[in-house]
Amino acid sequence: GALTYHSRTGDSEIDQEYQDFFHDWCGRADVTGRFRLAELVQLGFRATARDGEYGWIVIPDGDEIRLQPIEADRIGGPDQVKAEESNINGIMLDQYGRVAGYEIYRRSRMAQYTKETFDMGLGAGIVPPEMFLHLFRPTRADQYHGDSWLSPLLPHARDIHELFGFEKLAMK
């Protein structure tokens, strides 16, 4: 939508300075330099509806921070089924079930996945929870990854597709 930031300190000059700074930062928010903050948020919400989750790594850059967008398949990698109680498909947990880190994978143009090589203090490719914004909509208390909002519809859509195929075959 058209949400915008409006400072309300009570001092119109300070409000304008804050708004100008934030507006300028929104243009620099993406570490890749491709998207404004509003576009990053839109991408995240669309991906969450489609894939169930999305994330951004918070990257310090001098005196500012930048955001690196992370698609769902890069959180824990594709088909990474880990049988550990402390690692739920790339989301690492402490003894109480709190998120202790996120394993992030790199996807090549040829859909090859390798663990990221950066080190933020927890080992290669692992992002501490305070440096990762994880967008997902849990439906259970023990859920750490999101489900696509479309997943309840997919079996029905598949049935409709098959029915059209059968009807077409019957007509022939």
Side-chain angles (χ1 to χ4, degrees):
L3 292 177
T4 57
Y5 170 74
H6 294 282
S7 177
R8 298 285 184 245
T9 66
D11 183 327
S12 61
E13 288 183 27
I14 291 175
D15 288 344
Q16 191 60 51
E17 284 184 42
Y18 286 169
Q19 287 171 197
D20 290 345
F21 173 82
F22 186 72
H23 178 75
D24 290 343
W25 177 81
C26 287
R28 299 186 308 273
D30 180 10
V31 74
T32 69
R34 297 179 301 153
F35 305 108
R36 291 188 58 81
L37 179 63
E39 294 168 304
L40 287 175
V41 171
Q42 290 168 358
L43 286 167
F45 276 105
R46 276 195 298 267
T48 300
R50 181 187 62 237
D51 302 325
E53 62 188 332
Y54 197 80
W56 297 273
I57 300 175
V58 177
I59 298 177
D61 186 19
D63 292 337
E64 293 189 327
I65 60 169
R66 304 282 187 256
L67 301 174
Q68 179 183 2
I70 302 293
E71 301 261 350
D73 63 320
R74 296 182 55 206
I75 302 170
D79 306 321
Q80 297 286 331
V81 179
K82 303 226 166 63
E84 304 170 20
E85 287 296 318
S86 62
N87 190 329
I88 310 297
N89 299 334
I91 297 179
M92 302 163 60
L93 309 176
D94 71 7
Q95 63 189 12
Y96 300 108
R98 293 179 295 215
V99 175
Y102 295 87
E103 287 182 323
I104 305 299
Y105 285 74
R106 178 183 302 251
R107 179 188 345 99
S108 74
R109 290 182 304 131
M110 304 303 290
Q112 301 289 323
Y113 289 83
T114 55
K115 201 167 187 184
E116 283 283 7
T117 56
F118 61 76
D119 191 339
M120 298 180 106
L122 297 177
I126 300 173
V127 179
E130 63 273 10
M131 301 297 285
F132 193 73
L133 304 172
H134 189 203
L135 179 62
F136 75 108
R137 190 173 121 198
T139 56
R140 297 178 311 277
D142 287 337
Q143 185 173 352
Y144 291 92
H145 284 280
D147 294 323
S148 169
W149 299 355
L150 304 174
S151 60
L153 306 173
L154 293 178
H156 302 293
R158 211 171 280 121
D159 288 345
I160 291 170
H161 176 73
E162 289 175 359
L163 287 171
F164 280 127
F166 293 144
E167 190 62 31
K168 183 178 175 183
L169 185 61
M171 290 174 64
K172 285 185 177 183

